[in-house]
Amino acid sequence: MTRFELETRIAAPVPLVFGLSLDVDAHTASMARSGERAVAGVTSGAMALGDTVTWRARHFGVVWRMTSRITAYDHPTHFVDEQTAGPFHHWWHAHHFTPDGHGGTLMRDEITFQAPLGPLGRLAERAVLDRYMPHLMRERNEHLRAVAEREAGGALGGG
């Protein structure tokens, strides 16, 4: 099993960043490179506790489907999404949002995942996924940062 954390500073207020992080359309835009789109469950707009979404995307030249559910939700500080069906043996992603003391947000992601197929999956994690997944999440976070700061009007300064 792989675990990693990312921190992203965003010059936008916590409620705005929290809302964008739960927005299916914002997520889809952040994953445009992989052609990711919502194909079932909540397919547009904001998600809430108990909601599910099924994503379809192309990674490594293969089309994948992954269904996740919002399993914890504490507006505007925290939510968790977990895979209920899809390519991973285990996928858990906690999103934390705290004020940065300057009117902005410190967004922290905690992610644990485990590839399927036992020893072969562990080999895939070490060889590829341990680097690929943090890179993919950083791309997502940079997109969310840019959108949030644009929506906040840049009034909070740099990011």
Side-chain angles (χ1 to χ4, degrees):
M1 186 164 319
T2 297
R3 180 182 189 282
F4 66 94
E5 291 187 26
L6 298 173
E7 287 190 350
T8 307
R9 295 191 182 281
I10 302 175
V14 168
L16 173 61
V17 178
F18 181 88
L20 280 172
S21 296
L22 279 163
D23 188 89
V24 171
D25 304 304
H27 179 87
T28 300
S30 75
M31 294 289 165
R33 186 173 59 87
S34 66
E36 190 161 327
R37 61 188 171 93
V39 296
V42 177
T43 58
S44 185
M47 297 184 69
L49 183 62
D51 284 347
T52 62
V53 60
T54 300
W55 303 103
R56 181 186 181 281
R58 181 179 300 274
H59 296 278
F60 307 112
V62 177
V63 174
W64 303 90
R65 283 181 177 256
M66 178 171 149
T67 301
S68 61
R69 176 181 308 279
I70 305 298
T71 59
Y73 181 97
D74 185 15
H75 183 273
T77 61
H78 173 252
F79 72 91
V80 174
D81 64 84
E82 296 184 63
Q83 175 188 280
T84 60
F88 293 99
H89 178 70
H90 169 82
W91 174 269
W92 180 87
H93 183 177
H95 308 251
H96 303 276
F97 308 87
T98 56
D100 69 0
H102 304 286
T105 301
L106 175 62
M107 181 172 73
R108 187 170 55 87
D109 296 279
E110 292 178 70
I111 297 169
T112 60
F113 69 89
Q114 183 176 6
L117 304 175
L120 288 175
R122 285 191 294 282
L123 181 61
E125 284 177 34
R126 281 188 224 116
V128 179
L129 294 174
D130 285 357
R131 286 183 304 277
Y132 183 75
M133 296 311 297
H135 174 76
L136 191 65
M137 292 295 109
R138 277 191 293 274
E139 281 185 3
R140 171 194 171 271
N141 289 356
E142 280 305 306
H143 177 84
L144 290 176
R145 182 189 59 74
V147 171
E149 290 179 355
R150 186 172 54 247
E151 288 190 16
L156 299 173

